[in-house]
Each structure stands twice: as C-alpha cells, then as structure tokens.
Amino acid sequence: MKPSIRQKLDLLVDRIDEIDRMLSAPDTANDMDQFRRLARERAELDPLIVQYDAFRQAESDIAEAEAMRADPEMREFADEELAAATARLPALELALQTLLLPRDPDDERGVLLEIRAGTGGDESALFAGDLFRMYSRYAERQRWQVEVISASESDLGGYREIICRIVGSGAYSRLKFESGAHRVQRVPETETQGRIHTSACTVAVMPEADEVDEVALNPADLRIDTFRASGAGGQHINKTDSAVRITHLPTGIVAECQDGRSQHANRASAMRVLAARIRDIQVRAQQSHIASTRKRLIGSGDRSERIRTYNFPQGRITDHRINLTLYKIATIIEGDMDELLDALAAEHQADLLAELGEQN
C-alpha cells in the first residue's frame, strides 16, 4: 500500500475517534442538526474503517506467520497462514482504495429528468416516449416514485418534451451518466418503403435540490407569469389561470408547469425545476473549474454529446463512451437497465482508481 493512502486511512481513523467523542458529549444532543451531520459522517466512514481493520489484521497475521517460521515444528502451519493472509491483501487493498474514492455528494438525491425530441420530427417524439417509458419502468423496478412535472405531447404520440421527477434513494447515482444525446435507428411506423431512419433525443439528468432554499433565488430576480393551461385536465384546468411560468432574469432560465391541479402546486413544481436547473449549471461550472487533465471515460454529460445508439433492426444498444454493445434492446427499453448502468458505473470507478494510483 502506498504511504500516502495509508496516511489518509490513519487520519480517517483519528477522525472517527473524534466524531465518537463529539457524539458522546452531553451538549451535542442539544444541536440536532450537528448531531445528524456527525452521525451521517460516522456512518459513511464506518465501512472504510472496518475494511482498514481487516487489512491491518491481515498484515498482522503475515507478521506473526513469518515469526512462527523460525520454529521448525510450526513452519508448515506458518506457511499455510502466511499464504492465506498474503492472498487476502490485494482484495482488501482494492476494496480500501474503492472506499477512498471521492463520493459524489449528490448520489443519494432524487433527480429531475428532462427528455426532449431532437432531429427526426415525429419519430424523434415517439423515441422520446420510448425513453421516458424505459426510465419509468426502471424506476418502478427500483421502487422509486415518478412524477410528471411537464409534458408536451406530439400529434402522433410520444413527447416533444417531458420533464419528470424521480424520487428514491440513490436515483442520481444510477442515472447520472444518462445525460447526453441518444440516437435511434429504426423503420418509423409512418415509413411505407421500409427505410431505416435515424432520429435523436437529448436527455438531461439533474440532481434534485433538497429544498428550493438550497439554491439562492432572489425574488427580485424572478418573473412569475400565470396562464391558462392547455391539454387534458377537465373543466378546472381549462377555466383558470393555473399554469405557471417562472423566469430567472439573470440567467434567462425558464421553468413552467401546468400539469398540477392548482396554481400553487404548479408554482411549487416550477420552482423545483428552476432550482435544479440553476444548481446544475453551478455544479457543472465548478466541476469544469476543478476538473483534472484526465478525460473522464464516461464523458462530460453534455447534452450535445452523443452517448448511445439504439439500433432496432439489429436489436442492439451501443454506448459509445465505453464501447459497450448489448444485443438486448427489447429488454433494456422495457426498463431492464442494470447491466448497462453497472458497466458505466464500473468504468467510472476504474477511471477514478487510475487517478488515485497516479497520486504520490
């Protein structure tokens, strides 16, 4: 193990001892916010410390076995113990390095998912509907809640744009690599000569702010317009100005919602979308500023970056960022996304481990 990694681990051992002392202090319980922060930090550090204890135990077993080899009567037993402990070390070290990787603070958040039809007209809108169904069914498998915030349907079905909220623990950690341009190759239902067309949609996955207040929004910077909603909804939605559009004047970012049953509900949903979009811009700017020279294998998450092709005639899905091709398009489009998402997460982790290995 590199000395720098061991030094980090020793510092974390000291930190968890410090947290335990702070949690047991009588006055800590008087500040519940601080108590929760400390308890959360301890819970995050605990698996790492347990793994480090196992690593140090293996090192201790090796040292004891080597010492026993000096006794001829114990040498055979010592050799067995030495081999077993030595074999455990590489896996324990890799697990430690993995636990040391920087955590994305947004991983446990829910997400706001935006899907927009791009090139391809009606076929692109139909594909947007397919993507929405894919993510919705994956969310159902995870027992996450899906809430449509805004939807603009096309004439032939599908969506010109749809924005939804996915609420569930770890939703962002699983879906965060989905941002980008998704391309589909298939024969449209309206194609009479059987020709394959290529269409595209853009997907944006943004971590949801815990509270709108988490993003500093000055009321003076907001223009709030109300208007009469269009589309389905019955008499109420057609007779009242329940739809809400909020414009953030400094950035020009706009969020609107008209799917709720009241102006109050639509305003809350629009504020949620606006806060997530502004926060997303702030986080991306910060990440761009501190990004290392190594290019992430998973890509930038830019919506203009082509990340995946869905080829229906050949029954395959190809993720261009990691050169992965799976011939199971039917099951993936129905929400069975784990193999694909696991591969993206593993590649991202391997990239981070390579960076960790390059550090002194």
Side-chain angles (χ1 to χ4, degrees), residues 212 217 222 224 244 246 255 257 266-277:
V212 171
L217 293 176
L222 303 178
I224 301 176
V244 176
I246 304 176
C257 184
N266 283 329
R267 177 177 173 138
S269 294
M271 284 292 287
R272 188 180 293 120
V273 173
L274 184 69
R277 286 177 177 169

Side-chain angles (χ1 to χ4, degrees), residues 49-63:
I49 301 306
V50 169
Q51 197 72 30
Y52 190 32
D53 286 343
F55 180 84
R56 289 189 294 187
Q57 183 61 54
E59 286 185 321
S60 177
D61 292 344
I62 289 173

Side-chain angles (χ1 to χ4, degrees), residues 41-325:
E41 184 180 356
R42 198 201 186 288
E44 291 172 355
L45 287 176
D46 192 57
L48 183 63
I49 301 306
V50 169
Q51 197 72 30
Y52 190 32
D53 286 343
F55 180 84
R56 289 189 294 187
Q57 183 61 54
E59 286 185 321
S60 177
D61 292 344
I62 289 173
E64 290 179 8
E66 288 176 339
M68 282 192 295
R69 293 188 78 252
D71 184 346
E73 295 182 0
M74 297 292 293
R75 182 167 296 171
E76 184 176 351
F77 173 75
D79 286 343
E80 291 177 1
E81 288 294 300
L82 182 62
T86 302
R88 292 202 308 272
L89 269 186
L92 290 169
E93 183 172 356
L94 178 60
L96 275 172
Q97 290 182 4
T98 301
L99 289 168
L100 272 175
L101 294 177
R103 286 185 69 254
D104 188 331
D106 293 328
D107 271 352
E108 294 306 310
R109 295 178 186 265
V111 304
L112 284 172
L113 172 70
E114 300 183 357
I115 304 172
R116 289 185 176 83
T119 56
D122 289 329
E123 170 62 12
S124 177
L126 290 171
F127 181 48
D130 292 337
L131 290 177
F132 174 65
R133 184 174 69 251
M134 177 180 75
Y135 292 124
S136 296
R137 294 191 175 175
Y138 179 73
E140 290 172 6
R141 290 168 182 255
Q142 307 304 309
R143 296 191 172 135
W144 296 336
Q145 177 186 350
V146 179
E147 172 192 342
V148 175
I149 291 177
S150 176
S152 174
E153 299 180 6
S154 71
D155 295 335
L156 296 181
Y159 301 98
R160 288 186 289 269
E161 175 187 276
I162 182 164
I163 302 172
C164 71
R165 179 186 181 211
I166 300 178
V167 182
S169 178
Y172 184 70
S173 69
R174 294 297 286 166
L175 298 176
K176 63 183 176 182
F177 299 125
E178 291 301 294
S179 291
H182 295 240
R183 186 177 67 170
V184 62
Q185 295 172 328
R186 64 184 176 188
V187 179
E189 297 178 8
T190 55
E191 170 59 53
T192 58
Q193 299 182 30
R195 292 174 298 187
I196 296 174
H197 288 226
T198 299
S199 304
C201 290
T202 58
V203 172
V205 177
M206 299 173 293
E208 186 177 31
D210 285 338
E211 300 289 343
V212 171
D213 292 342
E214 189 178 351
V215 179
L217 293 176
N218 185 342
D221 291 337
L222 303 178
R223 187 180 73 232
I224 301 176
D225 302 309
T226 59
F227 56 98
R228 188 161 299 177
S230 60
Q235 287 184 325
H236 171 78
I237 202 167
N238 293 321
K239 289 186 177 180
T240 63
D241 289 343
S242 60
V244 176
R245 179 185 298 113
I246 304 176
T247 304
H248 186 241
L249 298 175
T251 62
I253 296 173
V254 178
E256 68 177 53
C257 184
Q258 60 177 321
D259 284 25
R261 295 292 298 170
S262 70
Q263 186 181 115
H264 178 75
N266 283 329
R267 177 177 173 138
S269 294
M271 284 292 287
R272 188 180 293 120
V273 173
L274 184 69
R277 286 177 177 169
I278 292 174
R279 186 177 184 278
D280 184 57
I281 290 173
Q282 293 171 343
V283 169
R284 287 182 186 276
Q286 183 183 25
Q287 289 173 341
S288 176
H289 180 67
I290 65 175
S292 66
T293 54
R294 174 188 290 270
K295 185 183 186 312
R296 293 279 184 230
L297 294 178
I298 301 304
S300 65
D302 191 293
R303 300 178 202 184
S304 63
E305 178 186 14
R306 189 189 72 180
I307 64 168
R308 192 175 300 145
T309 295
Y310 303 70
N311 187 305
F312 279 83
Q314 296 180 17
R316 64 172 171 85
I317 287 182
T318 299
D319 197 289
H320 305 290
R321 297 164 295 178
I322 57 175
N323 296 319
L324 173 69
T325 296

